[in-house]
Short mmCIF file of all heavy atoms in Angstrom, two decimals:
data_model
loop_
_atom_site.label_atom_id
_atom_site.label_comp_id
_atom_site.label_asym_id
_atom_site.label_seq_id
_atom_site.Cartn_x
_atom_site.Cartn_y
_atom_site.Cartn_z
N GLY A 332 -137.23 130.30 40.66
CA GLY A 332 -136.39 130.90 39.62
C GLY A 332 -135.62 129.86 38.82
O GLY A 332 -135.36 130.03 37.62
N VAL A 333 -135.26 128.75 39.47
CA VAL A 333 -134.51 127.69 38.77
C VAL A 333 -135.38 127.07 37.67
O VAL A 333 -134.93 126.81 36.55
CB VAL A 333 -134.05 126.60 39.77
CG1 VAL A 333 -133.41 125.43 39.05
CG2 VAL A 333 -133.11 127.21 40.80
N ILE A 334 -136.67 126.89 37.98
CA ILE A 334 -137.61 126.33 37.00
C ILE A 334 -137.87 127.37 35.91
O ILE A 334 -137.95 127.04 34.72
CB ILE A 334 -138.97 126.01 37.67
CG1 ILE A 334 -138.77 125.09 38.85
CG2 ILE A 334 -139.98 125.50 36.67
CD1 ILE A 334 -139.03 123.69 38.58
N ASP A 335 -138.02 128.62 36.32
CA ASP A 335 -138.34 129.68 35.34
C ASP A 335 -137.23 129.77 34.29
O ASP A 335 -137.50 129.89 33.10
CB ASP A 335 -138.52 131.04 36.04
CG ASP A 335 -139.77 131.05 36.93
OD1 ASP A 335 -140.61 130.15 36.77
OD2 ASP A 335 -139.88 131.94 37.79
N ILE A 336 -135.98 129.74 34.74
CA ILE A 336 -134.86 129.81 33.78
C ILE A 336 -134.87 128.58 32.86
O ILE A 336 -134.60 128.68 31.67
CB ILE A 336 -133.50 129.92 34.52
CG1 ILE A 336 -133.32 131.32 35.11
CG2 ILE A 336 -132.33 129.58 33.59
CD1 ILE A 336 -133.09 132.43 34.09
N ASN A 337 -135.23 127.45 33.41
CA ASN A 337 -135.26 126.24 32.58
C ASN A 337 -136.33 126.35 31.49
O ASN A 337 -136.09 125.99 30.34
CB ASN A 337 -135.50 125.01 33.45
CG ASN A 337 -135.12 123.72 32.75
OD1 ASN A 337 -134.05 123.63 32.15
ND2 ASN A 337 -136.00 122.74 32.78
N ASN A 338 -137.49 126.88 31.86
CA ASN A 338 -138.55 127.07 30.86
C ASN A 338 -138.11 128.09 29.81
O ASN A 338 -138.35 127.93 28.61
CB ASN A 338 -139.86 127.52 31.53
CG ASN A 338 -140.45 126.38 32.35
OD1 ASN A 338 -140.19 125.21 32.07
ND2 ASN A 338 -141.23 126.71 33.37
N TYR A 339 -137.45 129.13 30.30
CA TYR A 339 -136.93 130.19 29.40
C TYR A 339 -135.95 129.58 28.40
O TYR A 339 -136.00 129.88 27.20
CB TYR A 339 -136.26 131.24 30.28
CG TYR A 339 -135.32 132.19 29.59
CD1 TYR A 339 -135.80 133.24 28.80
CD2 TYR A 339 -133.93 132.08 29.76
CE1 TYR A 339 -134.93 134.13 28.19
CE2 TYR A 339 -133.06 132.96 29.15
CZ TYR A 339 -133.56 133.99 28.37
OH TYR A 339 -132.70 134.86 27.77
N GLN A 340 -135.09 128.71 28.88
CA GLN A 340 -134.06 128.13 28.02
C GLN A 340 -134.68 127.27 26.91
O GLN A 340 -134.26 127.33 25.76
CB GLN A 340 -133.09 127.29 28.88
CG GLN A 340 -131.86 126.81 28.17
CD GLN A 340 -130.83 127.91 27.97
OE1 GLN A 340 -131.09 129.10 28.18
NE2 GLN A 340 -129.63 127.54 27.56
N LYS A 341 -135.66 126.47 27.26
CA LYS A 341 -136.32 125.61 26.26
C LYS A 341 -137.03 126.48 25.22
O LYS A 341 -136.95 126.23 24.02
CB LYS A 341 -137.34 124.69 26.95
CG LYS A 341 -136.70 123.62 27.83
CD LYS A 341 -137.72 122.72 28.50
CE LYS A 341 -138.31 123.29 29.75
NZ LYS A 341 -139.13 122.37 30.53
N ARG A 342 -137.71 127.52 25.70
CA ARG A 342 -138.46 128.41 24.81
C ARG A 342 -137.49 129.17 23.89
O ARG A 342 -137.72 129.31 22.69
CB ARG A 342 -139.27 129.39 25.67
CG ARG A 342 -140.38 130.11 24.93
CD ARG A 342 -141.22 130.95 25.88
NE ARG A 342 -140.44 131.97 26.58
CZ ARG A 342 -140.27 132.04 27.90
NH1 ARG A 342 -140.84 131.15 28.68
NH2 ARG A 342 -139.56 133.00 28.44
N ARG A 343 -136.39 129.64 24.49
CA ARG A 343 -135.38 130.41 23.75
C ARG A 343 -134.83 129.60 22.58
O ARG A 343 -134.64 130.10 21.49
CB ARG A 343 -134.26 130.73 24.74
CG ARG A 343 -133.49 131.97 24.50
CD ARG A 343 -132.67 132.30 25.74
NE ARG A 343 -131.56 131.38 25.98
CZ ARG A 343 -130.42 131.41 25.34
NH1 ARG A 343 -130.20 132.29 24.41
NH2 ARG A 343 -129.46 130.53 25.62
N PHE A 344 -134.57 128.31 22.86
CA PHE A 344 -134.02 127.42 21.83
C PHE A 344 -135.01 127.29 20.67
O PHE A 344 -134.65 127.41 19.50
CB PHE A 344 -133.73 126.05 22.46
CG PHE A 344 -133.08 125.06 21.53
CD1 PHE A 344 -131.72 125.14 21.23
CD2 PHE A 344 -133.82 124.04 20.94
CE1 PHE A 344 -131.12 124.22 20.37
CE2 PHE A 344 -133.23 123.12 20.08
CZ PHE A 344 -131.87 123.21 19.80
N ALA A 345 -136.28 127.05 21.02
CA ALA A 345 -137.31 126.89 19.99
C ALA A 345 -137.49 128.19 19.20
O ALA A 345 -137.60 128.18 17.97
CB ALA A 345 -138.63 126.46 20.63
N GLU A 346 -137.49 129.32 19.93
CA GLU A 346 -137.67 130.61 19.24
C GLU A 346 -136.54 130.88 18.27
O GLU A 346 -136.73 131.42 17.19
CB GLU A 346 -137.73 131.75 20.28
CG GLU A 346 -139.11 131.90 20.90
CD GLU A 346 -139.12 132.84 22.11
OE1 GLU A 346 -138.06 133.39 22.48
OE2 GLU A 346 -140.21 133.00 22.70
N LYS A 347 -135.34 130.47 18.68
CA LYS A 347 -134.18 130.71 17.80
C LYS A 347 -134.32 129.93 16.49
O LYS A 347 -133.93 130.43 15.42
CB LYS A 347 -132.90 130.30 18.53
CG LYS A 347 -131.66 130.72 17.81
CD LYS A 347 -130.50 130.83 18.76
CE LYS A 347 -129.43 131.76 18.21
NZ LYS A 347 -128.37 131.96 19.16
N ILE A 348 -134.87 128.74 16.58
CA ILE A 348 -135.08 127.96 15.35
C ILE A 348 -136.02 128.74 14.42
O ILE A 348 -135.73 128.92 13.24
CB ILE A 348 -135.65 126.56 15.68
CG1 ILE A 348 -134.63 125.76 16.49
CG2 ILE A 348 -136.04 125.82 14.39
CD1 ILE A 348 -135.09 124.38 16.92
N VAL A 349 -137.10 129.24 14.99
CA VAL A 349 -138.09 129.95 14.16
C VAL A 349 -137.48 131.22 13.57
O VAL A 349 -137.57 131.46 12.36
CB VAL A 349 -139.37 130.27 14.97
CG1 VAL A 349 -140.36 131.05 14.12
CG2 VAL A 349 -140.01 128.98 15.48
N THR A 350 -136.84 132.04 14.40
CA THR A 350 -136.33 133.31 13.87
C THR A 350 -135.23 133.06 12.84
O THR A 350 -135.16 133.74 11.82
CB THR A 350 -135.80 134.24 14.99
OG1 THR A 350 -134.93 133.48 15.82
CG2 THR A 350 -136.89 134.84 15.81
N SER A 351 -134.38 132.04 13.08
CA SER A 351 -133.31 131.77 12.11
C SER A 351 -133.86 131.30 10.77
O SER A 351 -133.28 131.57 9.73
CB SER A 351 -132.35 130.70 12.65
OG SER A 351 -131.86 131.07 13.90
N LEU A 352 -134.98 130.57 10.84
CA LEU A 352 -135.56 130.07 9.58
C LEU A 352 -136.49 131.13 8.98
O LEU A 352 -137.61 130.81 8.56
CB LEU A 352 -136.28 128.73 9.81
CG LEU A 352 -135.40 127.49 9.57
CD1 LEU A 352 -134.26 127.42 10.56
CD2 LEU A 352 -136.22 126.22 9.67
N PHE A 353 -136.04 132.37 9.04
CA PHE A 353 -136.72 133.49 8.40
C PHE A 353 -138.13 133.70 8.96
O PHE A 353 -139.08 133.96 8.24
CB PHE A 353 -136.74 133.30 6.87
CG PHE A 353 -135.40 132.83 6.37
CD1 PHE A 353 -135.21 131.51 5.94
CD2 PHE A 353 -134.29 133.67 6.40
CE1 PHE A 353 -133.96 131.06 5.53
CE2 PHE A 353 -133.04 133.21 5.99
CZ PHE A 353 -132.87 131.92 5.56
N ASN A 354 -138.22 133.50 10.28
CA ASN A 354 -139.45 133.75 11.04
C ASN A 354 -140.63 132.83 10.72
O ASN A 354 -141.74 133.10 11.15
CB ASN A 354 -139.91 135.21 10.91
CG ASN A 354 -138.97 136.12 11.66
OD1 ASN A 354 -138.55 135.77 12.77
ND2 ASN A 354 -138.61 137.23 11.07
N THR A 355 -140.36 131.76 10.01
CA THR A 355 -141.46 130.80 9.85
C THR A 355 -140.92 129.37 9.66
O THR A 355 -139.96 129.16 8.92
CB THR A 355 -142.42 131.15 8.69
OG1 THR A 355 -143.41 130.10 8.60
CG2 THR A 355 -141.71 131.28 7.36
N VAL A 356 -141.57 128.46 10.36
CA VAL A 356 -141.26 127.04 10.15
C VAL A 356 -142.50 126.32 9.61
O VAL A 356 -142.53 125.10 9.52
CB VAL A 356 -140.78 126.34 11.45
CG1 VAL A 356 -139.40 126.81 11.85
CG2 VAL A 356 -141.78 126.55 12.59
N ALA A 357 -143.51 127.08 9.26
CA ALA A 357 -144.78 126.49 8.80
C ALA A 357 -144.53 125.55 7.63
O ALA A 357 -143.94 125.94 6.62
CB ALA A 357 -145.75 127.60 8.40
N GLY A 358 -144.95 124.31 7.78
CA GLY A 358 -144.82 123.32 6.71
C GLY A 358 -143.39 122.86 6.46
O GLY A 358 -143.16 122.03 5.58
N LYS A 359 -142.42 123.39 7.21
CA LYS A 359 -141.02 122.99 6.98
C LYS A 359 -140.70 121.74 7.78
O LYS A 359 -141.20 121.57 8.90
CB LYS A 359 -140.07 124.12 7.40
CG LYS A 359 -140.15 125.34 6.49
CD LYS A 359 -139.17 126.42 6.94
CE LYS A 359 -139.27 127.65 6.04
NZ LYS A 359 -138.54 128.81 6.58
N LYS A 360 -139.83 120.93 7.22
CA LYS A 360 -139.41 119.72 7.95
C LYS A 360 -138.25 120.07 8.88
O LYS A 360 -137.22 120.60 8.43
CB LYS A 360 -138.99 118.63 6.96
CG LYS A 360 -138.47 117.38 7.67
CD LYS A 360 -138.13 116.26 6.68
CE LYS A 360 -137.49 115.09 7.42
NZ LYS A 360 -137.11 114.00 6.52
N ILE A 361 -138.42 119.78 10.15
CA ILE A 361 -137.34 119.96 11.13
C ILE A 361 -136.98 118.56 11.63
O ILE A 361 -137.86 117.81 12.06
CB ILE A 361 -137.79 120.81 12.34
CG1 ILE A 361 -138.51 122.10 11.90
CG2 ILE A 361 -136.61 121.11 13.26
CD1 ILE A 361 -137.65 123.15 11.26
N ALA A 362 -135.69 118.23 11.56
CA ALA A 362 -135.26 116.91 12.06
C ALA A 362 -134.77 117.05 13.49
O ALA A 362 -133.97 117.93 13.79
CB ALA A 362 -134.13 116.38 11.17
N PHE A 363 -135.26 116.20 14.37
CA PHE A 363 -134.77 116.16 15.75
C PHE A 363 -133.82 114.98 15.88
O PHE A 363 -134.20 113.84 15.57
CB PHE A 363 -135.92 115.92 16.73
CG PHE A 363 -136.65 117.14 17.20
CD1 PHE A 363 -136.71 118.29 16.42
CD2 PHE A 363 -137.28 117.14 18.45
CE1 PHE A 363 -137.40 119.42 16.86
CE2 PHE A 363 -137.97 118.26 18.89
CZ PHE A 363 -138.04 119.40 18.11
N LEU A 364 -132.63 115.23 16.37
CA LEU A 364 -131.75 114.13 16.78
C LEU A 364 -131.86 114.04 18.29
O LEU A 364 -131.41 114.93 19.01
CB LEU A 364 -130.32 114.38 16.32
CG LEU A 364 -130.09 114.35 14.79
CD1 LEU A 364 -128.62 114.57 14.45
CD2 LEU A 364 -130.59 113.03 14.18
N GLY A 365 -132.49 112.98 18.76
CA GLY A 365 -132.64 112.77 20.20
C GLY A 365 -133.99 113.21 20.71
O GLY A 365 -134.54 114.24 20.29
N TRP A 366 -134.53 112.40 21.61
CA TRP A 366 -135.79 112.74 22.29
C TRP A 366 -135.65 112.49 23.80
O TRP A 366 -136.25 113.17 24.61
CB TRP A 366 -136.94 111.92 21.70
CG TRP A 366 -138.30 112.31 22.23
CD1 TRP A 366 -138.94 111.81 23.34
CD2 TRP A 366 -139.18 113.31 21.68
NE1 TRP A 366 -140.16 112.42 23.50
CE2 TRP A 366 -140.34 113.34 22.49
CE3 TRP A 366 -139.10 114.16 20.57
CZ2 TRP A 366 -141.41 114.21 22.24
CZ3 TRP A 366 -140.18 115.02 20.33
CH2 TRP A 366 -141.31 115.03 21.16
N ALA A 367 -134.82 111.51 24.19
CA ALA A 367 -134.65 111.21 25.63
C ALA A 367 -134.12 112.43 26.37
O ALA A 367 -133.50 113.31 25.77
CB ALA A 367 -133.66 110.05 25.79
N PHE A 368 -134.35 112.50 27.68
CA PHE A 368 -133.97 113.71 28.42
C PHE A 368 -132.47 113.84 28.63
O PHE A 368 -131.97 114.90 28.99
CB PHE A 368 -134.73 113.80 29.75
CG PHE A 368 -134.16 112.99 30.88
CD1 PHE A 368 -133.33 113.59 31.82
CD2 PHE A 368 -134.46 111.65 31.03
CE1 PHE A 368 -132.80 112.86 32.88
CE2 PHE A 368 -133.93 110.91 32.07
CZ PHE A 368 -133.10 111.52 33.00
N LYS A 369 -131.73 112.76 28.36
CA LYS A 369 -130.27 112.77 28.37
C LYS A 369 -129.83 111.51 27.66
O LYS A 369 -130.65 110.65 27.36
CB LYS A 369 -129.71 112.83 29.80
CG LYS A 369 -130.12 111.64 30.65
CD LYS A 369 -129.69 111.77 32.10
CE LYS A 369 -128.23 111.45 32.28
NZ LYS A 369 -127.89 111.18 33.70
N LYS A 370 -128.54 111.38 27.39
CA LYS A 370 -128.09 110.20 26.66
C LYS A 370 -128.12 108.94 27.55
O LYS A 370 -128.17 109.04 28.78
CB LYS A 370 -126.67 110.41 26.11
CG LYS A 370 -125.57 110.38 27.15
CD LYS A 370 -124.20 110.40 26.48
CE LYS A 370 -123.08 110.34 27.51
NZ LYS A 370 -121.74 110.32 26.91
N ASP A 371 -128.04 107.80 26.90
CA ASP A 371 -127.94 106.51 27.58
C ASP A 371 -129.14 106.17 28.44
O ASP A 371 -129.02 105.44 29.44
CB ASP A 371 -126.65 106.41 28.40
CG ASP A 371 -125.42 106.36 27.51
OD1 ASP A 371 -125.57 106.00 26.32
OD2 ASP A 371 -124.31 106.67 27.97
N THR A 372 -130.30 106.71 28.10
CA THR A 372 -131.53 106.28 28.77
C THR A 372 -132.65 106.30 27.75
O THR A 372 -132.57 107.03 26.76
CB THR A 372 -131.88 107.20 29.97
OG1 THR A 372 -133.12 106.76 30.53
CG2 THR A 372 -132.05 108.66 29.57
N ASN A 373 -133.69 105.48 28.00
CA ASN A 373 -134.88 105.56 27.15
C ASN A 373 -135.97 106.36 27.85
O ASN A 373 -137.10 106.40 27.41
CB ASN A 373 -135.39 104.15 26.79
CG ASN A 373 -135.78 103.35 28.03
OD1 ASN A 373 -135.42 103.70 29.16
ND2 ASN A 373 -136.51 102.28 27.83
N ASP A 374 -135.62 107.01 28.95
CA ASP A 374 -136.61 107.78 29.71
C ASP A 374 -136.83 109.14 29.04
O ASP A 374 -135.87 109.80 28.63
CB ASP A 374 -136.10 107.98 31.14
CG ASP A 374 -137.18 108.44 32.10
OD1 ASP A 374 -138.29 108.75 31.63
OD2 ASP A 374 -136.91 108.48 33.31
N THR A 375 -138.09 109.55 28.97
CA THR A 375 -138.40 110.82 28.30
C THR A 375 -139.15 111.79 29.22
O THR A 375 -139.61 112.84 28.77
CB THR A 375 -139.29 110.57 27.06
OG1 THR A 375 -140.54 110.03 27.51
CG2 THR A 375 -138.64 109.61 26.09
N ARG A 376 -139.26 111.43 30.49
CA ARG A 376 -140.05 112.29 31.37
C ARG A 376 -139.47 113.71 31.42
O ARG A 376 -138.28 113.88 31.64
CB ARG A 376 -140.14 111.67 32.77
CG ARG A 376 -141.11 110.48 32.82
CD ARG A 376 -141.12 109.79 34.15
NE ARG A 376 -139.90 109.03 34.37
CZ ARG A 376 -139.67 108.31 35.48
NH1 ARG A 376 -140.56 108.27 36.44
NH2 ARG A 376 -138.55 107.63 35.60
N GLU A 377 -140.31 114.68 31.19
CA GLU A 377 -139.95 116.10 31.22
C GLU A 377 -138.83 116.45 30.24
O GLU A 377 -138.11 117.45 30.43
CB GLU A 377 -139.57 116.55 32.65
CG GLU A 377 -140.73 116.64 33.60
CD GLU A 377 -141.81 117.63 33.16
OE1 GLU A 377 -141.48 118.64 32.52
OE2 GLU A 377 -142.99 117.36 33.42
N THR A 378 -138.64 115.65 29.22
CA THR A 378 -137.55 115.94 28.28
C THR A 378 -137.76 117.29 27.60
O THR A 378 -138.90 117.64 27.23
CB THR A 378 -137.42 114.82 27.23
OG1 THR A 378 -136.36 115.18 26.34
CG2 THR A 378 -138.69 114.60 26.41
N ALA A 379 -136.66 118.03 27.43
CA ALA A 379 -136.76 119.33 26.75
C ALA A 379 -137.31 119.15 25.34
O ALA A 379 -138.01 120.02 24.82
CB ALA A 379 -135.38 119.98 26.71
N ALA A 380 -137.01 117.98 24.73
CA ALA A 380 -137.44 117.74 23.35
C ALA A 380 -138.95 117.93 23.18
O ALA A 380 -139.41 118.49 22.19
CB ALA A 380 -137.04 116.33 22.91
N MET A 381 -139.72 117.47 24.15
CA MET A 381 -141.18 117.55 23.94
C MET A 381 -141.67 118.99 24.01
O MET A 381 -142.62 119.36 23.31
CB MET A 381 -141.93 116.64 24.91
CG MET A 381 -142.03 117.09 26.31
SD MET A 381 -143.21 116.01 27.17
CE MET A 381 -142.54 116.02 28.80
N TYR A 382 -141.01 119.82 24.81
CA TYR A 382 -141.44 121.22 24.89
C TYR A 382 -141.03 121.99 23.63
O TYR A 382 -141.77 122.82 23.13
CB TYR A 382 -140.86 121.88 26.15
CG TYR A 382 -141.48 121.29 27.41
CD1 TYR A 382 -140.84 120.29 28.13
CD2 TYR A 382 -142.75 121.70 27.82
CE1 TYR A 382 -141.42 119.73 29.26
CE2 TYR A 382 -143.35 121.14 28.95
CZ TYR A 382 -142.68 120.16 29.65
OH TYR A 382 -143.28 119.60 30.75
N VAL A 383 -139.83 121.68 23.12
CA VAL A 383 -139.38 122.33 21.89
C VAL A 383 -140.29 121.89 20.74
O VAL A 383 -140.74 122.71 19.92
CB VAL A 383 -137.90 122.00 21.60
CG1 VAL A 383 -137.47 122.56 20.26
CG2 VAL A 383 -137.00 122.54 22.72
N ALA A 384 -140.60 120.59 20.70
CA ALA A 384 -141.50 120.08 19.65
C ALA A 384 -142.86 120.76 19.75
O ALA A 384 -143.43 121.20 18.74
CB ALA A 384 -141.65 118.57 19.78
N ASP A 385 -143.36 120.89 20.96
CA ASP A 385 -144.68 121.48 21.16
C ASP A 385 -144.72 122.91 20.61
O ASP A 385 -145.66 123.32 19.94
CB ASP A 385 -145.00 121.46 22.66
CG ASP A 385 -146.45 121.80 22.93
OD1 ASP A 385 -147.32 121.19 22.29
OD2 ASP A 385 -146.71 122.69 23.77
#
Side-chain angles (χ1 to χ4, degrees):
V333 174
I334 305 262
D335 293 344
I336 286 289
N337 198 46
N338 290 336
Y339 163 75
Q340 189 76 348
K341 291 181 277 189
R342 196 174 60 242
R343 208 166 71 78
F344 184 78
E346 278 169 0
K347 190 157 203 175
I348 295 178
V349 178
T350 49
S351 305
L352 267 64
F353 316 107
N354 289 319
T355 178
V356 289
K359 291 181 181 169
K360 177 176 174 182
I361 312 289
F363 273 28
L364 293 182
W366 187 271
F368 82 97
K369 61 186 282 197
K370 73 172 181 178
D371 292 339
T372 178
N373 60 345
D374 195 352
T375 64
R376 285 175 288 180
E377 289 300 328
T378 179
M381 74 170 149
Y382 292 98
V383 175
D385 191 50

